[in-house]
């Protein structure tokens, strides 16, 4: 789907088609090890993928964790159309697609885990992500080389948002050590306090 319709519809660059597995699919799938324990049991187990685009990492995580209720949040029509085709083709019964901007849904939907990949800098991304995550939940933002710098710059904002712990982690280190994958996935991981008063507005400061 990614190297065919994904490229044809402009969701994936032509130059990315030859490195879909390492750069995109494996990069997305490695964060499954960061999902909190207990998800998928009883009434828990909701994951929201913010700015899902071509379904990275949302569709990948839905495949790896069919026990989770996954929401793909994406405002662009051509992207949601592609996501709908992927969900249908892969018969993913645990996925729903919402065509809406994240800032318009803040405070209305609260997931156990909020994920994102290449959406925005952390100072812009954090208010949306935290506003879509329940108290006690986790935000996982896949980042690149700028992860540590973005985190340090955003710490005052994260404190105001009710984030109790924030760190840069690298998912898949054991697989790298064993030679199964070439490099880990860099993720900014945010933990929300259960008693924190989380800001539910559109603040971007």
């Amino acid at each position: 789907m990614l190297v065919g319709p994904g490229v044809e519809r402009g969701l994936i660059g032509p130059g990315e088609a030859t490195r879909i597995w390492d750069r995109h699919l494996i990069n997305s799938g490695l964060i499954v090890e960061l999902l909190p324990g207990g998800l998928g049991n009883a009434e828990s187990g909701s994951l929201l993928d913010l700015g899902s685009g071509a379904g990275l990492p949302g569709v990948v995580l839905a495949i790896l964790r069919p026990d989770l209720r996954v929401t793909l949040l994406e405002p662009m029509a051509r992207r949601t159309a592609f996501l709908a085709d992927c969900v249908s083709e892969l018969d993913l019964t645990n996925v729903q697609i919402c065509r809406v901007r994240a800032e318009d849904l803040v405070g209305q939907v609260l997931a156990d885990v909020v994920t994102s990949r290449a959406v925005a800098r952390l100072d812009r991304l954090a208010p949306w992500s935290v506003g879509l995550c329940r108290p006690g939940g986790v935000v996982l933002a896949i980042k690149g080389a700028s992860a540590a710098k973005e985190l340090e710059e955003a710490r005052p904002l994260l404190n105001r948002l009710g984030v109790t712990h924030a760190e840069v982690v690298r998912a898949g280190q054991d697989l790298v050590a064993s030679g199964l994958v070439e490099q880990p996935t860099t993720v900014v991981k945010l933990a929300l306090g259960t008693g924190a008063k989380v800001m539910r507005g559109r603040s971007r400061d």
Side-chain angles (χ1 to χ4, degrees), residues 50-101:
L50 191 161
S52 203
L56 302 167
V59 171
V60 178
L61 295 175
I63 293 170
L64 293 173
R65 289 292 302 272
D67 55 315
L68 298 184
R69 303 186 308 278
V70 177
T71 298
L72 307 178
L73 190 62
E74 171 57 51
M76 294 186 63
R78 66 184 177 89
R79 292 177 179 174
T80 54
F82 174 77
L83 291 171
D85 289 345
C86 288
V87 170
S88 175
E89 180 72 19
L90 296 167
D91 194 25
L92 297 175
T93 59
N94 61 326
V95 176
Q96 67 171 344
I97 301 166
C98 289
R99 185 189 169 195
V100 64
R101 297 186 307 170

Side-chain angles (χ1 to χ4, degrees), residues 6 22-24 33 39 75 78-79 87 100 109 115 127-128 146 148 151 153 162 198:
D22 290 342
R23 186 176 177 86
H24 299 287
E33 70 179 43
L39 287 178
R78 66 184 177 89
R79 292 177 179 174
V87 170
V100 64
V109 174
T115 60
W128 304 334
S146 66
L151 177 56
E153 291 176 349
V198 178

Side-chain angles (χ1 to χ4, degrees), residues 83-150:
L83 291 171
D85 289 345
C86 288
V87 170
S88 175
E89 180 72 19
L90 296 167
D91 194 25
L92 297 175
T93 59
N94 61 326
V95 176
Q96 67 171 344
I97 301 166
C98 289
R99 185 189 169 195
V100 64
R101 297 186 307 170
E103 54 264 47
D104 293 335
L105 203 60
V106 164
Q108 299 180 42
V109 174
L110 299 179
D112 295 307
V113 179
V114 175
T115 60
S116 61
R117 183 177 186 262
V119 172
R121 286 184 58 84
L122 192 60
D123 56 358
R124 292 187 61 218
L125 179 66
W128 304 334
S129 299
V130 171
L132 295 166
C133 190
R134 67 168 178 78
V138 175
V139 172
L140 301 173
I142 297 178
K143 289 288 182 178
S146 66
K149 184 174 185 293
E150 288 187 34

